[in-house]
Amino acid sequence: MKLQRKNRLRATALGALAVSSALVLTACGSDDNTGTDAGGDKTTAAASDIKCDDAEGQLRASGSSAQKNAMDLWVKNYMAACSGVEINYSSSSSGEGIVAFNQGTVGFAGSDSALKPEEVAESKKICKTGQGINLPMVGGPIAIGFHLEGVDKLTLDASTLAKIFDTKIKKWNDPAIAKLNDGVKLPDKAIQPFHRSEDSGTTQNLGKYLNAAAPSDWKYEAEKKWPAPGGQAASGSSGVASQVKAVDGSIGYFELSYAASQDITTVDINTGGATPVEATSENASKAIAAAKVKGTGKDLALDLDYTTKAEGAYPIVLVTYEVVCDTGNKADTLGTVKSFLTYTSSADGQKVLTDAGYAPIPEAINAKVRETVAGLK
């Protein structure tokens, strides 16, 4: 079973790395809209399904590092189809993306948390006739990755995770961990938890899960800034993953695509259901499918159930939103924003996500996203 999991992760990693190495964030000007991947084979971007419409020039966007590998795929496919258009997505953090959006320096931002009321109010200065809205575009599991020599399978629950990240549980052979891992030889080794150094929607979503599923053990508000003392910080999901990969005894959190690309073993989550749940795109989709739209008007912010015990539903999930103005978008980038987001929310755009370790947005919600994108002004 564990070998099968590693094989799945390696296959995903190869796909993600091939895309990243092939990505060129400048317009190629080629008439060959099928594109070529890193191995020399034609891509299956289905250029005829990407409608360039009024897209032109350069579109700058920034934000969530959680969706970086998805954005790499989308940008590569889109630019192969739309000659002369340049999409430049800067993968930083959700917090930095929202700041850039509200300063008017990007056409859209990626955020793993919906806009706060004060951020919506701030956006009205940029959107002029409208305001910032949340468009759910990428789903997926927040994987809990670990590196523990001699251990290649580990189950944890919300309570033990909360105590580990709050540095209340300090050794890998702690009785609380051992109880969840009968038959696993756990070493008497210090736990080294890693967290994000900058404001992060991934951090906030992990906090929401711990708040909901282990309220007596995680007393911190779910904010983008890491709240607990102790542990070590690293920049971006890629930085946390790199540290976990390198440090024996470590544990951290990041999107599944980062676990896949660095071949990091992930924790199964005991939700209280019949069996622990593995972090996979399919299992995350089962949890995201139960989400409800809590936004009003054109805003499509979602309410996720972090306490699900449904069989096979992985509870630590996030949804990355593309943040745009509902009206009042800049005239010089509006055509490109609409064209690009029409592709990313299309059936073909969503289809590429699974192989990169993400979960497509459920169709019932995605249909509303496409309708909203079409009406952007």
Side-chain angles (χ1 to χ4, degrees):
M1 182 66 70
K2 198 65 183 177
L3 180 59
Q4 291 176 348
R5 176 190 297 192
K6 283 188 174 287
N7 286 340
R8 285 199 300 274
L9 287 175
R10 289 192 185 102
T12 303
L14 289 173
L17 288 173
V19 169
S20 295
S21 64
L23 177 64
V24 179
L25 290 178
T26 53
C28 300
S30 169
D31 293 328
D32 182 2
N33 288 342
T34 58
T36 304
D37 67 17
D41 296 323
K42 296 295 183 182
T43 67
T44 56
S48 61
D49 294 327
I50 298 177
K51 296 179 173 57
C52 304
D53 296 330
D54 297 323
E56 61 181 358
Q58 182 187 73
L59 172 63
R60 290 170 51 83
S62 69
S64 165
S65 65
Q67 68 172 354
K68 177 188 182 299
N69 293 331
M71 195 60 70
D72 284 356
L73 280 164
W74 285 333
V75 168
K76 175 176 177 281
N77 288 349
Y78 183 84
M79 287 174 52
C82 299
S83 176
V85 180
E86 178 183 342
I87 309 290
N88 191 332
Y89 181 80
S90 174
S91 171
S92 50
S93 70
S94 298
E96 292 172 89
I98 296 303
V99 169
F101 179 76
N102 280 340
Q103 290 177 341
T105 59
V106 294
F108 70 88
S111 177
D112 305 324
S113 296
L115 291 168
K116 295 179 179 179
E118 59 268 28
E119 291 170 337
V120 173
E122 186 72 14
S123 73
K124 293 178 181 179
K125 299 176 184 178
I126 295 299
C127 297
K128 304 296 185 186
T129 59
Q131 65 181 44
I133 57 172
N134 305 283
L135 302 178
M137 201 69 70
V138 182
I142 299 176
I144 307 298
F146 72 99
H147 178 178
L148 190 58
E149 294 297 333
V151 177
D152 63 1
K153 182 173 179 59
L154 188 69
T155 297
L156 298 174
D157 60 12
S159 176
T160 55
L161 276 175
K163 292 174 183 176
I164 286 170
F165 282 118
D166 200 18
T167 63
K168 296 294 195 303
I169 292 179
K170 302 180 182 296
K171 291 290 189 73
W172 279 109
N173 62 347
D174 187 278
I177 300 177
K179 185 177 179 180
L180 293 165
N181 293 275
D182 187 36
V184 177
K185 188 175 182 179
L186 297 165
D188 181 15
K189 183 176 293 183
I191 299 174
Q192 299 193 54
F194 282 88
H195 58 263
R196 292 281 289 273
S197 60
E198 72 287 350
D199 286 4
S200 161
T202 310
T203 294
Q204 188 170 37
N205 279 276
L206 176 64
K208 288 178 180 178
Y209 164 72
L210 294 174
N211 277 161
S216 62
D217 298 306
W218 191 256
K219 302 295 189 180
Y220 307 101
E221 292 296 322
E223 299 290 348
K224 292 177 181 176
K225 183 177 181 61
W226 181 255
Q232 300 178 63
S235 178
S237 290
S238 59
V240 175
S242 294
Q243 290 297 318
V244 172
K245 176 72 173 178
V247 178
D248 185 23
S250 62
I251 188 169
Y253 59 95
F254 31 78
E255 294 67 42
L256 183 61
S257 60
Y258 292 94
S261 63
Q262 298 199 44
D263 198 21
I264 296 170
T265 308
T266 60
V267 170
D268 293 343
I269 300 299
N270 183 335
T271 64
T275 56
V277 185
E278 184 181 348
T280 68
S281 297
E282 294 77 12
N283 291 344
S285 290
K286 292 176 184 177
I288 294 172
K292 302 284 192 297
V293 175
K294 65 178 180 180
T296 58
K298 295 182 180 180
D299 185 77
L300 298 176
L302 300 179
D303 188 14
L304 299 168
D305 180 8
Y306 296 99
T307 62
T308 179
K309 293 179 175 59
E311 192 64 25
Y314 184 82
I316 318 177
V317 294
L318 62 73
V319 168
T320 300
Y321 301 95
E322 311 311 339
V323 176
V324 296
C325 297
D326 54 359
T327 63
N329 290 279
K330 292 182 179 179
D332 59 343
T333 58
L334 175 60
T336 309
V337 167
K338 291 181 69 171
S339 173
F340 181 65
L341 296 185
T342 295
Y343 164 59
T344 63
S345 61
S346 71
D348 285 331
Q350 291 289 299
K351 191 183 301 180
V352 304
L353 295 179
T354 301
D355 288 340
Y358 297 96
I361 299 299
E363 177 54 29
I365 297 171
N366 202 34
K368 296 178 182 178
V369 173
R370 290 194 293 268
E371 180 182 353
T372 302
V373 169
L376 296 179
K377 297 178 181 178

